[in-house]
Amino acid sequence: MNILLTNDDGIYAPGLAALQKELSRLGKVHLAAPATEQSGVGHSITFLEPLVCKQVFDKDVFRGYAVEGSPADCVKLGISVLFGTPIDLVVSGINGGLNAGINVLYSGTVAAAIEGAFFRLNSVAVSLEYDPHADFEMAARIAVRLIEQILRQQTSPPQLYNINIPSSAIKLARSGGHPKVHCVPMGVERYGESYIRRQDPKGRDYYWATNDPPPKRTEQPTDLTALADGHVTVTPLKFDLTDQSSLHEMRSWTMEL
Ligand code: MN
């Protein structure tokens, strides 16, 4: 199996290295990742400028390509041009920080997986709750075990999946326990709309975005509620944004000019 691996934290991020090592159990890992951190860039691509791409070596061993672009650029360029072999699976991560709820739509990590889904490939985004001492090795073991199970049980055409791992699940796994895995929908509660206002030395206002307030807990289980309860989450996603029920209703409308 040929696996394209990318991320949005950049080619030197520890989450990428951990996943590269663990994914090599499943097949050949082809690495194309942003040269610099691209967190929060969503599904942006580079088309007003050339896309600079450099080979990266670990001592004398070729490691992969550092792309001076977005995560979606890496996947698009990787599948189309870089590797000269058909890609079977796209994996993005491990991101340092969860990508759940509406953050999925801001995420460069998830956008890279969505780009893989554009090519009708199985694509998986993996994110770990932010922790300055994050155990990406354990997270990679959990993620790859889940990816194996997804590929084994899937009966539908290739799909797009978003995996999130809370810190508490890592702690449990490290002590020999077995974190629960919940397949849940993406939460759609608005959150993180607070900004801290400060002044620069010239007296101009500037703003820092925060994650506050946290999302309200919903009755229906979502990725956000399951993560808050300490479970690993798997959410199937799709990139077709068409609202089918609205479209159905609109069939009886009159739209004339
Ligand atoms: Mn990131």
Side-chain angles (χ1 to χ4, degrees):
M1 181 158 63
N2 284 292
I3 305 165
L4 190 158
L5 175 64
T6 192
N7 73 348
D8 79 357
D9 292 338
I11 193 157
Y12 299 109
L16 186 78
L19 206 43
Q20 182 176 22
K21 187 165 162 238
E22 196 65 22
L23 278 171
S24 63
R25 289 202 298 111
L26 303 188
K28 183 159 172 48
V29 181
H30 305 271
L31 189 67
T36 56
E37 181 169 350
Q38 301 288 312
S39 294
V41 303
H43 210 123
S44 66
I45 55 164
T46 302
F47 72 103
L48 297 177
E49 296 167 7
L51 197 49
V52 177
C53 179
K54 292 176 185 156
Q55 295 194 341
V56 170
F57 295 84
D58 193 357
K59 296 209 171 69
D60 286 339
V61 181
F62 174 65
R63 189 155 174 252
Y65 293 94
V67 178
E68 291 182 15
S70 69
D73 281 328
C74 293
V75 174
K76 200 173 177 185
L77 187 71
I79 293 173
S80 310
V81 176
L82 290 180
F83 300 116
T85 181
I87 296 296
D88 305 301
L89 170 69
V90 173
V91 182
S92 177
I94 299 171
N95 188 59
L98 295 171
N99 279 306
I102 57 171
N103 273 355
V104 164
L105 291 163
Y106 299 122
S107 166
T109 305
V110 177
I114 294 173
E115 188 67 35
F118 287 175
F119 288 85
R120 303 299 187 270
L121 297 172
N122 276 313
S123 301
V124 186
V126 184
S127 305
L128 172 64
E129 187 173 353
Y130 178 75
D131 174 352
H133 306 291
D135 184 347
F136 284 109
E137 282 72 27
M138 179 59 82
R141 283 205 285 279
I142 289 173
V144 172
R145 282 182 63 182
L146 289 178
I147 290 169
E148 283 180 290
Q149 292 172 53
I150 286 169
L151 296 179
R152 199 165 60 229
Q153 296 178 84
Q154 178 187 63
T155 54
S156 50
Q159 299 290 328
L160 169 63
Y161 303 92
N162 186 29
I163 296 177
N164 279 286
I165 305 170
S167 302
S168 55
I170 297 293
K171 206 172 154 198
L172 179 59
R174 280 169 66 112
S175 63
H178 299 279
K180 291 234 163 31
V181 182
H182 285 209
C183 297
V184 278
M186 172 184 144
V188 292
E189 295 296 299
R190 197 182 75 227
Y191 70 109
E193 67 265 29
S194 294
Y195 290 85
I196 296 169
R197 187 174 72 185
R198 296 201 178 147
Q199 279 198 333
D200 76 5
K202 291 181 175 160
R204 296 172 299 193
D205 289 341
Y206 68 93
Y207 295 85
W208 275 109
T210 74
N211 277 327
D212 294 323
K216 283 192 221 69
R217 193 176 172 103
T218 52
E219 219 153 280
Q220 291 302 314
T222 67
D223 51 1
L224 298 171
T225 64
L227 288 162
D229 293 341
H231 307 306
V232 175
T233 61
V234 183
T235 300
L237 299 175
K238 56 181 184 177
F239 58 79
D240 180 353
L241 300 180
T242 311
D243 183 337
Q244 294 293 345
S245 63
S246 286
L247 185 62
H248 186 77
E249 186 206 319
M250 289 167 78
R251 294 221 164 96
S252 62
W253 293 9
T254 306
M255 304 282 268
E256 285 177 340
L257 293 173

